[in-house]
């Protein structure tokens, strides 16, 4: 694995336990992050992934929906 598709989450052991036991991962709004580079990195990575999905999809309706959704970012 080249590490390009890995996201890290730093948390306490208690929080990790709760994540595993609840099978839920809650995400914080990136606007509240104290590291602005996280916001830009995450959004840019997501937009690239959306482009790849759009380019590889054969469903025109899905392509159109995803393209419209991408414009909102």
């Amino acid at each position: 694995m080249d590490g390009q598709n890995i996201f890290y989450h730093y948390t306490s052991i208690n929080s990790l336990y709760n994540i595993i036991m609840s099978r839920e991962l809650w995400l914080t709004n990136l606007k509240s992050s104290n590291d602005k580079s996280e916001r830009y990195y995450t959004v840019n990575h997501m937009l690239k992934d959306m482009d790849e999905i759009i380019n590889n999809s054969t469903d025109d309706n899905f392509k159109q929906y995803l393209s419209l959704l991408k414009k909102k970012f």
Side-chain angles (χ1 to χ4, degrees), residues 2-36:
D2 61 15
Q4 292 181 359
N5 293 323
I6 296 175
F7 288 94
Y8 294 92
H9 175 70
Y10 298 96
T11 191
S12 69
I13 193 70
N14 288 335
S15 295
L16 176 61
Y17 175 80
N18 289 327
I19 290 168
I20 293 169
M21 294 307 292
S22 68
R23 296 182 181 180
E24 293 180 346
L25 179 62
W26 292 28
L27 303 176
T28 302
N29 187 329
L30 287 172
K31 290 180 182 177
S32 66
S33 173
N34 63 355
D35 183 354
K36 300 300 179 195

